[in-house]
Amino acid sequence: MWQAIKTALVLNTEGVVVAPLDGVPKVEINRNPDGSRFIDIYYAGPIRAAGGTSQVLPLILGDYARTLLELDKYKPTDDEVERYVEECQIYDEIVTRQYKPTDDEVRKIVRNCNVCINGEPTEEREVSVNRDLPRIPTNRIRGGMCLVLSEGVALKAARILKFSKKLKLEWNWLEDIIKVGKSDSSDSFCF
């Protein structure tokens, strides 16, 4: 699955950026608190070079693989959801981004995305409240995750919804994130 996701990302970005090689360092199958298995996609800082739409391609492909493998959805705990919110707030202080999602948008994305948007630690700063969570292997800020969540899922929600419908995936929750002016009618995924 990891190789398929990286290959699709290379094709989609036409092999001209480092994102497919270094932006998705690993893909794992992990367990929810109830014992069910889910897909866990790790991002790193170089994913920025792929652009917002291509950043989400691994999530779409991971969700498609999840359905084929009959795996469950990612089921975040309340502490994990608040960890994402805290990280995005801190990341906003460190890096300028094209779009900064609201705390409620972050919560909506994390609670509803069928695969886990995880990440490697990229910043020296650490979270101060939601620390030492079992399924998040670091207390440092995961920059790649923050980028994908904001400039990928939140900013490109309209485009993602369109492609998820083509693959018959359950991403209708994105309709709550789509705002006037954020929609995009161009196609850039290579399906």
Side-chain angles (χ1 to χ4, degrees):
M1 177 175 22
W2 176 75
Q3 185 60 53
I5 287 172
K6 283 177 133 354
T7 301
L9 198 51
V10 166
L11 292 171
N12 197 55
T13 60
E14 299 177 352
V16 296
V17 295
V18 71
L21 302 176
D22 298 331
V24 183
K26 64 182 171 180
V27 177
E28 298 180 338
I29 296 177
N30 285 322
R31 294 204 178 268
N32 284 307
D34 64 6
S36 61
R37 298 181 319 156
F38 69 93
I39 293 179
D40 199 354
I41 299 178
Y42 283 73
Y43 286 95
I47 196 65
R48 176 185 284 267
T53 305
S54 293
Q55 291 170 4
V56 180
L57 181 59
L59 298 177
I60 296 287
L61 295 175
D63 193 27
Y64 187 70
R66 179 192 68 80
T67 62
L68 294 176
L69 296 170
E70 298 179 353
L71 298 174
D72 207 344
K73 299 174 182 178
Y74 169 58
K75 298 172 185 173
T77 65
D78 290 341
D79 287 339
E80 288 170 345
V81 172
E82 292 309 309
R83 165 64 183 265
Y84 281 85
V85 172
E86 182 180 2
E87 279 188 81
C88 287
Q89 290 171 349
I90 294 170
Y91 196 68
D92 285 345
E93 298 170 7
I94 300 170
V95 176
T96 302
R97 291 183 286 169
Q98 187 176 356
Y99 180 75
K100 295 178 183 178
T102 66
D103 293 351
D104 286 338
E105 285 176 325
V106 172
R107 288 181 184 101
K108 181 82 169 175
I109 292 167
V110 174
R111 289 191 191 284
N112 291 285
C113 190
N114 294 332
V115 297
C116 180
I117 307 169
N118 212 327
E120 298 288 321
T122 59
E123 308 300 324
E124 291 301 316
R125 284 190 59 187
E126 294 187 353
V127 293
S128 57
V129 179
N130 300 288
R131 299 176 59 81
D132 304 321
L133 301 179
R135 294 194 294 176
I136 301 175
T138 182
N139 286 320
R140 291 173 48 201
I141 303 302
R142 300 170 291 163
M145 175 278 295
C146 293
L147 285 168
V148 170
L149 201 141
S150 62
E151 293 181 354
V153 180
L155 184 61
K156 305 296 184 180
R159 190 179 297 177
I160 298 163
L161 181 60
K162 181 170 65 171
F163 288 110
S164 66
K165 286 181 179 179
K166 285 183 181 179
L167 293 173
K168 297 180 174 68
L169 299 174
E170 300 171 19
W171 287 62
N172 292 338
W173 54 271
L174 285 172
E175 293 171 354
D176 295 337
I177 295 175
I178 298 170
K179 293 183 177 70
V180 176
K182 276 188 6 181
S183 64
D184 191 339
S185 61
S186 63
D187 291 347
S188 69
F189 284 145
C190 300
F191 288 130

